[in-house]
Amino acid sequence: MTYTLYYWDGIPGRGEFVRLALEEAGADYVDAARAPGGTREMLRLMKNAGSPAAPFAPPFLVEGRLVISHVANILFYLGPKLGLAPENEELRYVANGMQLTVTDFVAEIHDTHHPIGVSLYYEEQKPEALRRSADFLSERLPKFLGYFERVLGHNPMGDAHIVGDRLSYVDLSLFQVIEGLRYAFPRAMRSLEANIPALVALHDAVSARPRIRSYLVSDRRLPFNESCVFRHYPELDR
Amino acid sequence: MTYTLYYWDGIPGRGEFVRLALEEAGADYVDAARAPGGTREMLRLMKNAGSPAAPFAPPFLVEGRLVISHVANILFYLGPKLGLAPENEELRYVANGMQLTVTDFVAEIHDTHHPIGVSLYYEEQKPEALRRSADFLSERLPKFLGYFERVLGHNPMGDAHIVGDRLSYVDLSLFQVIEGLRYAFPRAMRSLEANIPALVALHDAVSARPRIRSYLVSDRRLPFNESCVFRHYPELDR
């Protein structure tokens, strides 16, 4: 069965967390944003008067009649099918909890450049963005990264994976968060990374996986840019 | 099996979405915040060096060895056990997607009074809160409420429930969001409610359910207050 992933065109954004899982699994999927008419179809599905499952926002995944919205929900659904979730059912809820902490982290990263409203440009909320970013870099960034480092260190199956004893979609998402943070806040990350050796090792192990490595150099991998969740505005960095 | 719900003491907050499901089902649960030593135990679990599932933040649910974090994750787990999830498995992912949209909505409601950082008091970010609230009331509040109203109207099983043909935990959460919004933004809600008749009817139907009705007048139901997600600051209202 082919999966179709719907997301905004031209940015990795939140869609990338799903793409990484599909790519690692070698799944058969269509990236609607890069297909003719895909964005139009996405907007049609979001307004679909006939569907009880019209999503509030992308990304969402379509498989046959099924429409699944929100990154964590998509990954909870796909994980077992793609071999990227723990075998143990209880650990699947632990993985989902971790992924939802990633979701919260990503929302806070987004809000560093959009603290007032998504309908305004960055330039219209720059004084507030400066203040929010300062708080984010001093309080929230070390707190979130320290949390994941601690969870990795306490995994009874070893610190190579965040949950269980094999690669899961949460590991892939943590790789992407580190990539995005290095792009957005290079100075802050340089000074923080010494404190998160297990997370950095996890990041490196993911990027060395054969399918991920070839995905990252393909034209399917979109570069970060200033329309994305992860934006590099030097004035917001440490 | 007894469930234990861990959450901050003294506020309904995000814990209330779980409490409502447990109360509607008549489940056997302990509300740790109201039990002797409960808050100390919560903080211990969050710092638990021995646990691979230590949560980033409350609420979380403990059942035996299992620790489940995040409201949507807890409800996805509890829903089928409490008879508060759709029978159909595909619809359970639709319900989870809806609940995650509720999660995003609640985070935006929280950020109206905390747009800069959770480590600062409201009074330390009041100019930014005024600006963010104005944007929230003009853009986001009508967008989220309009979305849920539309989804209700398009439910092929009828507009009494947001997903499927029977009460789910998402219906309970929508009740709580309406309650919280009426407390936080009474003027804005008065002018908006005419546009969301199906949501208001859903709210009223939930509040009339026997177990919910007796819960709401019990001392287990905490009143909204200005330490909660939903805060009433008249200057932030329309």
Side-chain angles (χ1 to χ4, degrees):
Chain A
M1 174 72 82
T2 298
Y3 303 108
T4 305
L5 172 65
Y6 289 91
Y7 192 60
W8 302 116
D9 194 13
I11 58 171
R14 292 181 169 88
E16 195 66 12
F17 298 101
V18 181
R19 263 187 222 109
L20 283 167
L22 293 164
E23 291 283 345
E24 167 60 28
D28 182 17
Y29 79 102
V30 174
D31 194 343
R34 326 284 299 268
T39 299
R40 207 177 326 120
E41 176 64 5
M42 178 178 88
L43 297 172
R44 193 190 67 74
L45 285 166
M46 287 168 65
K47 289 178 184 158
N48 193 348
S51 167
F56 183 75
F60 55 91
L61 186 85
V62 172
E63 183 193 10
R65 294 177 318 127
L66 188 58
V67 180
I68 304 187
S69 63
H70 289 274
V71 169
N73 193 27
I74 297 169
L75 292 173
F76 197 56
Y77 174 78
L78 281 180
K81 296 178 199 291
L82 301 182
L84 289 171
E87 294 274 4
N88 176 289
E89 211 202 318
E90 292 192 354
L91 281 185
R92 289 186 185 171
Y93 287 96
V94 174
N96 191 37
M98 295 292 160
Q99 188 67 38
L100 287 167
T101 301
V102 171
T103 299
D104 288 351
F105 192 12
V106 170
E108 293 198 23
I109 294 166
H110 171 273
D111 283 4
T112 58
H113 52 75
H114 272 74
I116 299 300
V118 289
S119 60
L120 303 169
Y121 290 108
Y122 165 62
E123 288 72 17
E124 296 175 284
Q125 50 196 312
K126 204 165 154 181
E128 294 93 343
L130 286 163
R131 209 178 158 207
R132 174 137 189 169
S133 295
D135 182 88
F136 174 78
L137 294 181
S138 69
E139 303 289 331
R140 304 299 286 172
L141 181 62
K143 183 168 177 171
F144 274 105
L145 292 177
Y147 169 75
F148 287 117
E149 179 75 12
R150 205 169 76 233
V151 171
L152 268 175
H154 295 161
N155 185 347
M157 314 271 197
D159 66 0
H161 302 295
I162 192 89
V163 184
D165 62 356
R166 63 177 197 182
L167 185 81
S168 75
Y169 61 80
V170 192
D171 295 322
L172 300 174
S173 292
L174 287 171
F175 157 81
Q176 178 65 8
V177 168
I178 298 288
E179 283 286 292
L181 287 169
R182 284 179 178 175
Y183 175 81
F185 302 106
R187 290 196 298 273
M189 285 301 282
R190 262 196 300 277
S191 77
L192 267 175
E193 288 199 20
N195 306 327
I196 53 164
L199 262 179
V200 170
L202 169 63
H203 165 277
D204 295 350
V206 167
S207 65
R209 295 184 69 87
R211 281 181 176 149
I212 296 293
R213 205 169 49 202
S214 46
Y215 168 61
L216 294 179
V217 298
S218 76
D219 62 2
R220 300 191 303 287
R221 170 80 168 181
L222 299 170
F224 292 111
N225 61 60
E226 280 54 58
S227 303
C228 185
V229 171
F230 299 98
R231 302 189 186 186
H232 179 51
Y233 295 126
E235 63 275 20
L236 299 186
D237 196 0
R238 181 165 292 172
Chain B
M1 175 71 86
T2 298
Y3 303 109
T4 306
L5 172 66
Y6 290 89
Y7 192 61
W8 302 116
D9 193 12
I11 58 170
R14 291 181 170 90
E16 195 65 15
F17 297 101
V18 181
R19 264 189 221 107
L20 283 166
L22 293 164
E23 291 283 345
E24 167 60 28
D28 182 17
Y29 80 103
V30 174
D31 195 343
R34 325 286 297 269
T39 299
R40 207 176 328 119
E41 175 65 6
M42 178 178 89
L43 297 172
R44 194 190 67 76
L45 285 166
M46 286 168 65
K47 288 175 183 159
N48 192 349
S51 166
F56 183 76
F60 55 92
L61 186 85
V62 172
E63 183 193 10
R65 296 177 317 125
L66 188 59
V67 180
I68 303 186
S69 64
H70 288 274
V71 170
N73 194 26
I74 297 169
L75 292 173
F76 196 57
Y77 174 78
L78 281 181
K81 297 179 198 290
L82 302 182
L84 289 171
E87 295 274 6
N88 176 288
E89 211 203 319
E90 294 193 353
L91 280 185
R92 289 186 185 170
Y93 288 95
V94 174
N96 191 37
M98 295 291 160
Q99 189 67 39
L100 287 167
T101 301
V102 170
T103 299
D104 288 351
F105 192 12
V106 169
E108 294 199 22
I109 293 165
H110 170 272
D111 284 4
T112 57
H113 50 77
H114 273 73
I116 299 301
V118 288
S119 60
L120 303 169
Y121 290 108
Y122 164 63
E123 289 72 16
E124 296 175 283
Q125 48 196 313
K126 203 164 152 179
E128 294 92 344
L130 285 163
R131 208 176 160 210
R132 174 135 188 171
S133 296
D135 182 88
F136 174 78
L137 294 181
S138 68
E139 304 288 330
R140 305 299 286 172
L141 181 61
K143 184 169 175 168
F144 274 105
L145 291 178
Y147 169 75
F148 287 117
E149 180 74 14
R150 206 169 76 231
V151 171
L152 268 175
H154 295 161
N155 185 346
M157 314 272 196
D159 67 0
H161 302 296
I162 193 89
V163 183
D165 61 356
R166 63 179 197 180
L167 185 81
S168 75
Y169 61 78
V170 192
D171 294 323
L172 300 174
S173 292
L174 287 171
F175 157 81
Q176 178 65 7
V177 168
I178 298 288
E179 284 285 292
L181 287 169
R182 284 179 178 174
Y183 175 80
F185 302 107
R187 289 197 298 274
M189 285 301 281
R190 262 197 299 278
S191 77
L192 267 175
E193 289 199 19
N195 306 327
I196 51 164
L199 262 179
V200 171
L202 169 62
H203 166 278
D204 295 350
V206 167
S207 65
R209 295 184 69 88
R211 282 180 175 150
I212 295 294
R213 204 169 50 201
S214 46
Y215 169 61
L216 295 179
V217 298
S218 75
D219 61 3
R220 300 190 304 286
R221 170 80 169 181
L222 298 171
F224 292 111
N225 60 61
E226 280 55 56
S227 302
C228 185
V229 171
F230 300 98
R231 301 189 186 187
H232 180 51
Y233 296 126
E235 63 274 21
L236 300 185
D237 196 1
R238 180 164 293 171

